[in-house]
């Protein structure tokens, strides 16, 4: 089982909106050093489908595309020769211009910085265009979110974009079918468990790394030890809220715009 780590922001003093899911630059550097010392080999998220034949594979992912990835995380990754996958919310980018959508929670990368990350060997995936709750969108807006983000990334970067991550981790069977139909080869959620052999390529679980993740917890979960215990509360909340969200959609209580 290959661990898939989920990061968001690497920042010393993050704003309240991202603080819970941020890690300090010092903590991130220590975590990457632990992976290097442990003989782990980071691979792109897309490599999971082929079963990467490298020593101790692990996947490092970042959601949203915050500017601190380019400023703080990328130099650390480069120093170790590590790759990562960044799932970009295209409508949030600093120079999105007329294509701007949604409300970024912190300073975002520019298109030029996304291209620089890609040139440095970072895999770029999609994270929707405006960061909506995809499972609450009707079919038309859902298809638009999936197609627009991928189309913009491919046009700007000149390379195929085959992977995505669900905003907030929310998906459903309907959303996953739409992701497949949109041409993506795989997608990741959160789930806070290790991927199982033969699992759904459109619901790959990840392990959240956050401000409260201690060095000991990080060391254990990347080794595949104590994962259930470390994330017991997260998984219980996720399971309960998923049931609520299915009910909301079915009853039409959430009325997103078309």
């Amino acid at each position: 089982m290959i661990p898939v780590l989920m990061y968001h922001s690497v920042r010393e003093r993050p704003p309240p909106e991202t603080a819970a899911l941020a890690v300090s630059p010092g903590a991130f550097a220590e975590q990457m050093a632990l992976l290097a010392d442990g003989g782990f080999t980071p691979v792109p998220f897309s490599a999971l489908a082929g079963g990467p034949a490298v020593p101790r594979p692990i996947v490092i992912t970042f959601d949203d595309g915050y500017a601190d990835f380019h400023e703080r995380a990328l130099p650390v990754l480069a120093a170790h020769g590590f790759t990562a996958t960044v799932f970009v919310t295209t409508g949030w980018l600093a120079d999105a211009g007329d294509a701007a959508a949604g409300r970024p929670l912190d300073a975002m990368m520019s298109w030029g910085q996304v291209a620089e990350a890609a040139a440095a060997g970072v895999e770029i995936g999609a994270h929707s265009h405006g960061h909506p709750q995809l499972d609450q969108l009707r079919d038309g807006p859902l298809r638009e979110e999936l197609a627009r983000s991928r189309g913009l990334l491919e046009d700007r970067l000149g390379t195929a974009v085959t992977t995505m991550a669900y905003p907030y981790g929310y998906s459903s069977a309907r959303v996953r079918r739409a992701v497949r139909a949109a041409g993506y080869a795989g997608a990741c959620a959160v789930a806070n468990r290790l991927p199982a052999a033969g699992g759904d390529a459109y619901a790959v679980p990840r392990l959240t790394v956050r401000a409260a993740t201690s060095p000991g917890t990080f060391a254990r979960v990347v080794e595949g030890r104590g994962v259930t215990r470390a994330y017991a509360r997260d998984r219980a909340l996720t399971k309960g809220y998923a049931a609520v969200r299915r009910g909301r959609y079915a009853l039409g209580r959430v009325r997103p715009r078309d």
Side-chain angles (χ1 to χ4, degrees):
M1 294 185 290
I2 300 173
V4 183
L5 305 179
M6 181 183 72
Y7 288 91
H8 284 75
S9 175
V10 178
R11 184 166 169 173
E12 195 67 55
R13 295 181 179 83
E17 292 85 353
T18 63
L21 290 174
V23 298
S24 70
F28 182 72
E30 290 176 5
Q31 290 162 1
M32 296 303 102
L34 184 148
L35 296 182
D37 291 344
F40 286 93
T41 305
V43 297
F45 178 72
S46 61
L48 285 181
V54 297
R56 307 202 75 185
I58 192 168
V59 179
I60 303 168
T61 71
F62 287 79
D63 283 4
D64 301 325
Y66 294 113
D68 55 55
F69 173 81
H70 185 272
E71 179 182 0
R72 300 291 186 185
L74 187 56
V76 175
L77 294 168
H80 289 290
F82 285 177
T83 189
T85 299
V86 179
F87 296 108
V88 175
T89 305
T90 48
W92 280 12
L93 292 177
D95 51 355
D98 292 341
R103 185 181 71 85
L105 303 181
D106 200 356
M108 304 300 295
M109 284 195 287
S110 67
W111 275 111
Q113 290 171 328
V114 173
E116 287 175 11
V122 171
E123 178 180 50
I124 304 299
H127 197 45
S128 80
H129 184 65
H131 207 276
Q133 300 175 18
L134 295 178
D135 64 334
Q136 300 301 309
L137 295 182
R138 296 176 183 133
D139 290 347
L142 172 59
R143 288 192 296 269
E144 173 64 17
E145 280 287 337
L146 298 174
R148 191 173 190 190
S149 55
R150 183 183 179 203
L152 285 169
L153 288 168
E154 291 185 336
D155 287 346
R156 290 279 190 155
L157 301 177
T159 187
V161 172
T162 62
T163 62
M164 70 155 297
Y166 303 109
Y168 309 102
Y170 301 152
S171 73
S172 64
R174 179 181 66 93
V175 171
R176 293 189 289 274
R177 287 194 298 270
V179 170
R180 183 190 293 270
Y184 292 95
C188 54
V190 181
N192 286 308
R193 56 182 174 82
L194 296 170
D200 187 349
Y202 293 89
V204 177
R206 294 183 289 174
L207 303 172
T208 305
V209 185
R210 51 165 64 93
T213 302
S214 70
T217 296
F218 183 86
R220 286 190 295 273
V221 299
V222 298
E223 295 280 357
R225 296 184 287 109
V227 172
T228 299
R229 180 177 180 181
Y231 293 104
R233 183 174 182 273
D234 297 84
R235 293 174 67 179
L237 291 173
T238 298
K239 185 176 181 179
Y241 196 41
V244 171
R245 296 180 64 77
R246 287 193 297 269
R248 284 180 176 174
Y249 183 81
L251 293 172
R253 290 177 181 169
V254 174
R255 303 289 295 179
R257 65 182 184 277
D258 280 323

